[in-house]
Amino acid sequence: MSSNFFSQFLERFSKNSSIHGVQYIGNNSISKLERLLWLLILTGATFLGYYFVKSSVDHYFANPTVVTIEKDFRNWENPFPAVTACYVERVDLEKAQDYIQMTWGITNTSSDFNHYLDFVKVVSNLTYATLHTLDKFKSNRTLNSTDWLSLIKYVHPTLNGALVTFQTKSKPDWEFAITELGLCFTLNSRFTQLLSPEKKSLKSENLKCHYLNGLCYARYDSNRDMPLFYHVHSPLEVIHATSESPILLGRSQEYEINYKLAETYSLGDIRYLSPQQRKCRFEDEPLSDQIPAYSIGLCFMECRYRLAMERCGCRPFFYNFLEGKECNMEGLLCLSKISQMFYQSAEETGCNCPQPCNLMVYLRQIPKITEWFKGYFDQRITFRWGLMQPMTKYHRKIIFGFQELIVSFGGVLSLYLGVSLISTVETVYLIAEDIYCYWASKKKSTNPK
């Protein structure tokens, strides 16, 4: 295109454009100094507009949400805390005897029986911290092909306690879960099925307690001679190797405790923002295809799983829901050599686990502990946990979304350049019209009739 075309285009465009100041740049009836002055003014206004538009874009991508306080507590249905319980001693001796005889043909009269019983006890209590205890069994080749998960399931004590909750319409019950702390049983966790020894689909509903319900509690009475560890956590969380210390209940002990809920929730209207924008992830937004859900605990577990696969080429048996070769005796002993790495912080292991969009933290209150020595109550271990209804919650919502971004664009461009949607369409039209006219004239001149 020739310079003559550009000068003609500029003149036509300046006469027809509604953008403020453009008409003076191509106006040949005024002096060049005035045209230069208007060009400088228009250039300055363009740079100012660009600066504020860029600030709005940066705001939209970096910090479009805000956390506010909600106080409408009388209408709330509050999530009841989940509990995961683990026996201190996870071997039923009669079941262990049957398993040893069934698997290796060793009876309780054999001289090797105690060796195999010791192995069963060690496997049933395996965690990252206790993997080294397998070292004394590595010379016994008959143990190398052990099906770890079937062993711990078979010998685990039967749950025969009594569970009572505030829920009267249905009767929730304990479900087994294989965790980094061994085989435990859990109540009211959405991810129970994910951690189940048998793979199942995820649960969508959990126990909720209305603010006006004054009896928001659950109680479990169990065998007095079988101490338990209790982990109280969010229904959208799981216990893992670096979870907080549990509550230990001993023989004939009654433990009553309430929890205060601190909840940050997010509604679905922020889902169209990327996790990087809202700085959180919903529980149905997994980080990878390996796990169909998200929580900080699951994220930590996936990081440790990747570490195990990288260093030893296999996964521990308590990652039943993940793919890859399961560790045999040699693989678990390999992991025992780097066990301290599994207890490092997320930063040290390079694990990036963003905050959940729906975050529930249950704060322990002062417990009431009673030890019974006679009467009916000494025949059981009782754990009673309740929910103190919150009067405030935190709500993550959009403060600068896509609509606000468009409005900001319009305001900035209108203020500095007088540009509107119509003038933008007009500009495109004028440019397209001139290009078409130039193309048509060139075609006519090269192909005269």
Side-chain angles (χ1 to χ4, degrees):
M1 293 184 184
S2 64
S3 59
N4 186 45
F5 169 78
F6 281 111
S7 61
Q8 291 176 359
F9 164 73
L10 182 60
E11 184 177 357
R12 287 193 299 269
F13 182 77
S14 61
K15 287 181 179 179
N16 294 292
S17 176
S18 60
I19 299 176
H20 295 180
V22 173
Q23 57 181 311
Y24 299 108
I25 296 175
N27 190 349
N28 291 323
S29 63
I30 62 177
S31 66
K32 291 184 178 180
L33 182 61
E34 288 178 290
R35 293 169 68 186
L36 178 61
L37 178 63
W38 277 108
L39 178 62
L40 292 174
I41 292 172
L42 190 62
T43 302
T46 301
F47 275 110
L48 283 172
Y50 169 78
Y51 172 78
F52 286 105
V53 164
K54 185 176 183 301
S55 298
S56 297
V57 172
D58 291 343
H59 185 195
Y60 173 70
F61 282 104
N63 195 26
T65 62
V66 66
V67 176
T68 61
I69 296 178
E70 298 286 329
K71 300 286 287 185
D72 186 23
F73 55 87
R74 292 179 180 83
N75 297 318
W76 289 344
E77 289 272 356
N78 298 305
F80 192 70
V83 167
T84 299
C86 310
Y87 281 119
V88 174
E89 178 53 61
R90 304 178 194 184
V91 177
D92 182 313
L93 293 179
E94 291 185 6
K95 291 183 177 181
Q97 181 176 327
D98 291 342
Y99 184 87
I100 293 169
Q101 185 172 354
M102 176 181 65
T103 307
W104 298 293
I106 305 295
T107 64
N108 60 354
T109 59
S110 172
S111 59
D112 292 333
F113 178 79
N114 288 334
H115 175 77
Y116 283 88
L117 179 61
D118 190 21
F119 174 75
V120 169
K121 290 181 178 180
V122 165
V123 173
S124 297
N125 291 279
L126 278 182
T127 66
Y128 279 122
T130 61
L131 287 174
H132 66 278
T133 57
L134 285 171
D135 189 63
K136 59 184 176 181
F137 302 104
K138 64 181 180 181
S139 60
N140 189 340
R141 295 185 178 276
T142 62
L143 302 177
N144 197 42
S145 58
T146 300
D147 186 340
W148 314 103
L149 203 52
S150 66
L151 186 158
I152 63 176
K153 285 193 301 180
Y154 191 95
V155 303
H156 193 275
T158 304
L159 302 183
N160 52 13
L163 175 67
V164 178
T165 74
F166 67 92
Q167 180 63 267
T168 57
K169 294 182 179 179
S170 61
K171 291 185 177 181
D173 203 356
W174 299 103
E175 297 182 71
F176 281 106
I178 182 67
T179 73
E180 290 179 331
L181 302 178
L183 184 62
C184 303
F185 44 102
T186 187
L187 176 73
N188 197 40
S189 172
R190 182 172 179 182
F191 303 136
T192 302
Q193 284 79 0
L194 180 64
L195 303 182
S196 172
E198 295 83 24
K199 295 181 180 180
K200 302 176 182 178
S201 58
L202 295 180
K203 251 193 333 190
S204 59
E205 294 295 330
N206 294 103
L207 294 176
K208 292 185 177 181
C209 191
H210 195 276
Y211 174 81
L212 299 178
N213 187 346
L215 295 173
C216 194
Y217 78 98
R219 189 186 77 241
Y220 184 59
D221 298 328
S222 59
N223 190 325
R224 69 170 183 173
D225 297 319
M226 300 186 68
L228 284 157
F229 288 115
Y230 282 98
H231 299 260
V232 179
H233 54 89
S234 163
L236 300 178
E237 196 50 271
V238 298
I239 64 167
H240 51 92
T242 53
S243 291
E244 292 184 2
S245 299
I247 298 169
L248 173 61
L249 269 67
R251 178 185 171 92
S252 300
Q253 196 172 67
E254 183 174 350
Y255 194 101
E256 296 183 43
I257 187 169
N258 289 319
Y259 287 85
K260 188 175 182 180
L261 172 63
E263 181 181 7
T264 301
Y265 71 96
S266 305
L267 299 180
D269 58 354
I270 73 168
R271 280 183 178 270
Y272 80 87
L273 299 174
S274 69
Q276 290 73 27
Q277 285 178 275
R278 48 179 139 96
K279 295 181 175 60
C280 67
R281 299 187 80 89
F282 283 97
E283 57 272 13
D284 57 357
E285 293 179 329
L287 287 171
S288 70
D289 296 334
Q290 289 271 28
I291 305 177
Y294 177 78
S295 77
I296 290 181
L298 289 174
C299 181
F300 287 164
M301 291 170 68
E302 188 173 11
C303 289
R304 296 185 189 110
Y305 156 78
R306 288 200 301 268
L307 179 61
M309 294 295 292
E310 290 170 5
R311 294 302 185 95
C312 297
C314 62
R315 61 170 177 83
F317 62 87
F318 37 74
Y319 296 145
N320 187 45
F321 55 96
L322 293 171
E323 298 176 353
K325 176 187 174 184
E326 184 177 302
C327 292
N328 56 14
M329 179 85 73
E330 183 180 351
L332 293 179
L333 288 174
C334 172
L335 293 176
S336 72
K337 298 175 183 177
I338 58 168
S339 59
Q340 73 282 354
M341 298 182 67
F342 297 105
Y343 292 93
Q344 293 177 342
S345 65
E347 293 76 17
E348 291 176 308
T349 56
C351 189
N352 180 25
C353 295
Q355 187 184 66
C357 291
N358 296 314
L359 178 63
M360 288 164 271
V361 178
Y362 293 90
L363 307 174
R364 290 186 191 182
Q365 305 302 296
I366 298 175
K368 178 184 176 183
I369 306 173
T370 307
E371 293 189 15
W372 300 95
F373 300 102
K374 61 181 180 179
Y376 169 74
F377 295 104
D378 74 336
Q379 302 300 311
R380 63 188 185 183
I381 295 175
T382 299
F383 180 62
R384 184 189 187 279
W385 69 102
L387 176 65
M388 295 177 65
Q389 303 286 6
M391 299 181 69
T392 59
K393 288 187 181 182
Y394 298 96
H395 178 202
R396 181 182 283 105
K397 62 182 181 181
I398 296 174
I399 192 174
F400 194 81
F402 187 72
Q403 289 181 330
E404 288 77 14
L405 180 65
I406 296 300
V407 170
S408 176
F409 280 180
V412 169
L413 295 177
S414 178
L415 175 63
Y416 289 102
L417 296 171
V419 175
S420 65
L421 177 63
I422 300 300
S423 63
T424 303
V425 174
E426 177 188 69
T427 299
V428 174
Y429 171 76
L430 291 174
I431 294 173
E433 182 185 40
D434 269 50
I435 292 174
Y436 174 76
C437 291
Y438 175 80
W439 174 78
S441 62
K442 291 285 288 183
K443 186 177 181 181
K444 186 176 181 179
S445 62
T446 54
N447 299 300
K449 292 184 178 180

